[in-house]
Amino acid sequence: GQSLEQPSEVTAVEGAIVQINCTYQTSGFYGLSWYQQHDGGAPTFLSYNALDGLEETGRFSSFLSRSDSYGYLLLQELQMKDSASYFCAVSPFPVTGTALIFGKGTTLSVSS
Amino acid sequence: ETGVTQTPRHLVMGMTNKKSLKCEQHLGHNAMYWYKQSAKKPLELMFVYSLEERVENNSVPSRFSPECPNSSHLFLHLHTLQPEDSALYLCASSQDPGPRDTGELFFGEGSRLTVL
């Protein structure tokens, strides 16, 4: 089966850097995605790693290492508005499924 | 309108009621999805439609019945639900199923369902 593990909660202060890890067990996948969801809102797409390495989008970066079955989301220069839940997800091979499989999410709390 | 729109945003129903959730996407996408989000649980995939054809039914009880009349609209018909079905139901769309090339789903705001 497929499973993705994330820490349930992370706390940090404004201006800091935080890394949210995602470890997975999967038989094969196309890539690893990250989503942000504020309370009461829709999940929104942040980044996608199809290949190993680092992808940078503004203050957010995402990393994938298939050999280590591991990825992370790096948030820099944290702001209060970054307080939200963050989900990693994999796009499985068709033999396993046809839609993203999500982790349980990490709640990030940013304080001043 | 743009994006993915879901109605109603909130729904309270009894266990014997029949209701429907509606989703509409204005993005020209070919794939649409229903996910269930409960507290402390990952988003659970319920159904996947590609070009109006159901391609995945993720062991969902028959009291949930999806319908995709065209590539822009998706419904979730509800009947004889249980209190444990109370959750946020999220509709999403993507250009192609997976999505494999971009990993990007476009979600609606969700329908918050409470079953009494």
Side-chain angles (χ1 to χ4, degrees), chain B residues 74-114:
Chain B
L74 186 65
F75 295 88
L76 188 62
H77 303 299
L78 317 168
H79 63 97
T80 326
L81 294 191
Q82 306 298 310
E84 59 265 29
D85 297 321
S86 298
L88 181 68
Y89 289 85
L90 289 161
C91 173
S93 71
S94 63
Q95 184 60 50
D96 295 302
R100 299 166 197 161
D101 294 332
T102 66
E104 184 172 8
L105 289 177
F106 293 78
F107 283 90
E109 297 284 338
S111 294
R112 173 71 63 184
L113 173 66
T114 302

Side-chain angles (χ1 to χ4, degrees), chain B residues 4-115:
Chain B
V4 180
T5 305
Q6 289 187 243
T7 55
R9 293 293 311 279
H10 300 274
L11 178 63
V12 179
M13 58 187 290
M15 290 165 55
T16 58
N17 291 157
K18 288 184 180 182
K19 297 286 185 183
S20 296
L21 307 180
K22 178 183 175 182
C23 176
E24 185 173 0
Q25 59 100 355
H26 309 273
L27 300 168
H29 288 165
N30 294 319
M32 296 187 76
Y33 314 76
W34 281 115
Y35 280 88
K36 175 184 178 182
Q37 187 174 33
S38 305
K40 308 298 183 185
K41 286 188 173 183
L43 279 78
E44 301 171 61
L45 177 67
M46 300 177 74
F47 301 104
V48 183
Y49 276 83
S50 175
L51 296 173
E52 302 148 46
E53 180 181 341
R54 191 189 309 180
V55 296
E56 186 165 343
N57 175 352
N58 212 26
S59 302
V60 179
S62 60
R63 57 186 184 270
F64 295 91
S65 174
E67 178 189 2
C68 188
N70 55 61
S71 60
S72 298
H73 294 85
L74 186 65
F75 295 88
L76 188 62
H77 303 299
L78 317 168
H79 63 97
T80 326
L81 294 191
Q82 306 298 310
E84 59 265 29
D85 297 321
S86 298
L88 181 68
Y89 289 85
L90 289 161
C91 173
S93 71
S94 63
Q95 184 60 50
D96 295 302
R100 299 166 197 161
D101 294 332
T102 66
E104 184 172 8
L105 289 177
F106 293 78
F107 283 90
E109 297 284 338
S111 294
R112 173 71 63 184
L113 173 66
T114 302
V115 182

Side-chain angles (χ1 to χ4, degrees), chain A residues 64-91:
Chain A
L64 174 63
S65 169
R66 289 177 185 266
S67 59
D68 295 323
S69 297
Y70 164 72
Y72 67 72
L73 179 69
L74 189 73
L75 299 88
Q76 303 182 68
E77 301 173 19
L78 281 175
Q79 303 175 9
M80 298 290 284
K81 67 178 182 179
D82 297 327
S83 293
S85 292
Y86 293 84
F87 298 87
C88 60
V90 293
S91 301

Side-chain angles (χ1 to χ4, degrees), chain A:
Chain A
Q2 316 267 350
S3 68
L4 297 95
E5 297 296 325
Q6 307 176 230
S8 58
E9 295 182 3
V10 173
T11 59
V13 296
E14 275 188 300
I17 299 173
V18 72
Q19 179 173 311
I20 299 174
N21 297 325
C22 175
T23 57
Y24 56 83
Q25 290 184 330
T26 176
S27 53
F29 65 100
Y30 291 102
L32 184 72
S33 302
W34 287 92
Y35 285 78
Q36 179 192 61
Q37 185 179 28
H38 286 100
D39 269 351
T44 56
F45 173 80
L46 291 177
S47 67
Y48 180 63
N49 291 73
L51 303 175
D52 281 9
L54 192 67
E55 293 282 341
E56 297 181 74
T57 309
R59 294 188 296 115
F60 294 177
S61 302
S62 57
F63 174 82
L64 174 63
S65 169
R66 289 177 185 266
S67 59
D68 295 323
S69 297
Y70 164 72
Y72 67 72
L73 179 69
L74 189 73
L75 299 88
Q76 303 182 68
E77 301 173 19
L78 281 175
Q79 303 175 9
M80 298 290 284
K81 67 178 182 179
D82 297 327
S83 293
S85 292
Y86 293 84
F87 298 87
C88 60
V90 293
S91 301
F93 286 157
V95 67
T96 305
T98 50
L100 293 184
I101 299 169
F102 285 84
K104 289 188 178 182
T106 299
T107 300
L108 171 64
S109 299
V110 180
S111 58
S112 57

